[in-house]
């Protein structure tokens, strides 16, 4: 199906993956997920191309989601209630630019999120992230200010050096790597 003017989506049931292809902005939805009737068929969301954002309510309450590839802009309520997300994926020179209100609220198994962009716009609300979230970011950043204002744990990665411990391939154009600080 379509999920934006120049975006299409396909579910690869054997891989339990929804892949968004194309270039541009994703549609926003009003209080429901576009994939509500298909949520049992996938637990991972990835994209190929240049996805600008996840629209509002894009994956709202998709309880089966375990892993998501982040887009530069995460709309309000985009992953709210996705309580089984445990990991996020980024690739290349990815920059997280904006996170909307309730974007990750209720993602109680997502222990942390790395926000390297010191000027990432984060909604001024205590309901953007789950209460036990750890934010990894740059000292003096908007991520640190948000964490401190709303009582979230913040870990400064400004001078942290990382060493790759292992890596491998997960599937079609999907790779993983494990790093240690």
């Amino acid at each position: 199906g379509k999920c934006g003017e120049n975006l299409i989506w396909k579910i690869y049931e054997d891989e339990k993956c929804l892949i968004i292809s194309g270039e541009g902005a994703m549609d926003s939805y009003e209080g429901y997920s576009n994939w509500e009737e298909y949520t049992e068929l996938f637990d991972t969301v990835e994209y190929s191309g240049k996805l600008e954002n996840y629209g509002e309510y894009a994956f709202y309450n998709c309880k089966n989601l375990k892993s998501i590839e982040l887009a530069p802009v995460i709309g309000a309520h985009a992953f709210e209630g996705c309580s089984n997300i445990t990991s996020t994926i980024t690739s290349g020179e990815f920059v997280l630019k904006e996170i909307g209100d309730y974007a990750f609220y209720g993602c109680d198994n997502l222990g942390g999120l790395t926000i390297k962009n010191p000027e990432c716009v984060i909604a001024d609300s205590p309901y953007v992230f789950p209460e036990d979230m750890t934010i990894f970011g740059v000292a003096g950043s908007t991520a640190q200010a948000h964490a401190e204002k709303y009582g979230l744990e913040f870990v400064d990665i400004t001078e942290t050096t990382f060493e790759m411990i292992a890596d491998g391939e997960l599937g079609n154009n999907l790779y993983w790597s494990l790093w240690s600080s």
Side-chain angles (χ1 to χ4, degrees):
K2 285 188 77 160
C3 57
E5 186 174 335
N6 297 309
L7 297 174
I8 60 168
W9 60 271
K10 291 182 182 179
I11 295 175
Y12 295 88
E13 197 171 353
D14 56 329
E15 297 176 24
K16 297 198 65 84
C17 186
L18 182 144
I19 297 182
I20 299 165
S21 302
E23 191 171 310
M26 178 186 279
D27 293 335
S28 286
Y29 306 93
E30 295 188 27
Y32 66 93
S33 167
N34 184 42
W35 295 276
E36 199 165 18
E37 63 187 276
Y38 305 106
T39 59
E40 300 293 322
L41 302 177
F42 64 93
D43 61 16
T44 303
V45 174
E46 300 170 11
Y47 60 87
S48 63
K50 293 185 179 180
L51 179 65
E52 293 176 8
N53 70 309
Y54 286 116
E56 292 183 9
Y57 291 95
F59 293 94
Y60 177 78
N61 217 22
C62 287
K63 301 268 187 221
N64 285 349
L65 272 183
K66 294 179 183 173
S67 178
I68 56 171
E69 184 171 4
L70 294 176
V73 176
I74 311 294
H77 306 274
F79 296 101
E80 180 182 354
C82 298
S83 57
N84 287 311
I85 293 176
T86 56
S87 65
T88 59
I89 303 165
T90 59
S91 58
E93 297 297 317
F94 174 80
V95 175
L96 190 55
K97 297 177 181 177
E98 185 176 336
I99 304 171
D101 201 13
Y102 287 88
F104 294 102
Y105 193 74
C107 296
D108 298 330
N109 284 311
L110 182 59
L113 184 67
T114 301
I115 304 173
K116 294 179 184 176
N117 177 3
E119 298 174 0
C120 179
V121 176
I122 303 171
D124 188 11
S125 166
Y127 305 111
V128 176
F129 305 107
E131 294 175 11
D132 295 334
M133 172 76 82
T134 299
I135 296 177
F136 299 87
V138 179
S141 66
T142 56
Q144 182 178 16
H146 184 89
E148 289 173 356
K149 182 174 182 177
Y150 295 109
L152 301 173
E153 183 178 356
F154 179 80
V155 175
D156 180 7
I157 61 169
T158 305
E159 295 184 28
T160 303
T161 57
F162 295 94
E163 175 185 349
M164 187 183 333
I165 297 171
D167 65 346
E169 187 172 347
L170 290 173
N172 201 11
N173 293 322
L174 180 64
Y175 302 91
W176 65 271
S177 59
L178 178 62
W179 296 78
S180 173
S181 59

